[in-house]
Amino acid sequence: MTSRQVQSEETKQKIFLATMRLLENRDADDIKITDIIKEAQVSVGSFYNHYSSKNDVFAESYQLEDKYFEEEVEPALIQDDVRERLLFFFNRYAFYNSEIASIGKLRYVLSCNCIHVERPYETGTLGVLQRVIQWGINNGQLQVDENSVHMVHFMMVSARGLIDNWYTRNKIFNLQDEMKSFVQKFIRLFCTESDSVNITPPHTQ
């Protein structure tokens, strides 16, 4: 990249990180663009060069998550048993939210219930999970009355509820362990075989 492009990317990163810092102590609806500009120490013009609204900044936190799940998680979902794929997916979901995502992003997701960001079920994190569930249905390993989109919605709302409980209780329990227990309960309800699956969580960097 040229030096001008590098500077542009650095400015965009400053705006994004400033927004995440503001979200650590304030709800999304209470934050104004003027607050972001002041925190990032950039001009109004610089903000609008990169984002059309504050909601675009919020949406970028999801784009980072989607990139992680599409590029890092989905290629590793090669297990022959849908139970193992679900356990792996949600192990990574718990890891991402507890170890990678900023506190600002977590508070945004939990405080406004994602109302500012419309997320399609065909792509990103939701798309990865939908393909896992659909694969399990197609292979006769999942017995569900609903379609895969409804099941993705059910599981992700439940998982976010667990994350909310973990966060509001000051992270007093291990999120990955609790997430595994949650998924195993789901498995007993919807998988064709009721034997529990135990996998060793993947090593993290």
Side-chain angles (χ1 to χ4, degrees), residues 16-113:
F16 176 75
L17 293 176
T19 306
M20 293 300 104
R21 287 195 299 272
L22 290 171
L23 281 167
E24 290 182 11
N25 300 301
R26 298 167 63 179
D27 289 342
D29 290 334
D30 296 331
I31 297 173
K32 298 179 176 60
I33 289 177
T34 52
D35 299 323
I36 298 172
I37 291 168
K38 182 178 179 181
E39 179 70 20
Q41 297 184 329
V42 299
S43 67
V44 175
S46 293
F47 178 91
Y48 283 108
N49 280 338
H50 298 286
Y51 300 101
S52 61
S53 69
K54 69 175 185 179
N55 293 342
D56 284 349
V57 191
F58 300 150
E60 189 162 317
S61 65
Y62 285 109
Q63 292 166 9
L64 294 173
E65 177 192 297
D66 288 340
K67 181 178 179 180
Y68 173 78
F69 274 86
E70 288 179 330
E71 296 182 1
E72 302 292 334
V73 176
E74 188 160 29
L77 290 166
I78 57 175
Q79 300 83 359
D80 292 330
D81 193 317
V82 71
R83 298 171 299 179
E84 293 183 358
R85 291 195 186 193
L86 288 169
L87 284 165
F88 184 86
F89 175 92
F90 280 101
N91 174 274
R92 295 294 80 197
Y93 190 65
F95 171 76
Y96 185 89
N97 282 281
S98 62
E99 304 294 335
I100 299 178
S102 68
I103 296 301
K105 189 261 185 182
L106 278 177
R107 288 196 74 253
Y108 168 63
V109 171
L110 301 174
S111 66
C112 69
N113 200 27

Side-chain angles (χ1 to χ4, degrees), residues 89-90 93 109-110 113-114 119 121 126 129 133 149-165 179 182:
F89 175 92
F90 280 101
Y93 190 65
V109 171
L110 301 174
N113 200 27
C114 317
R119 303 182 74 192
Y121 280 90
L126 301 179
L129 179 57
I133 291 175
V149 170
H150 291 156
M151 193 54 60
V152 169
H153 179 74
F154 167 75
M155 292 199 75
M156 292 303 286
V157 168
S158 300
R160 281 199 294 268
L162 176 60
I163 294 170
D164 177 55
N165 183 260
M179 190 69 75
F182 154 72

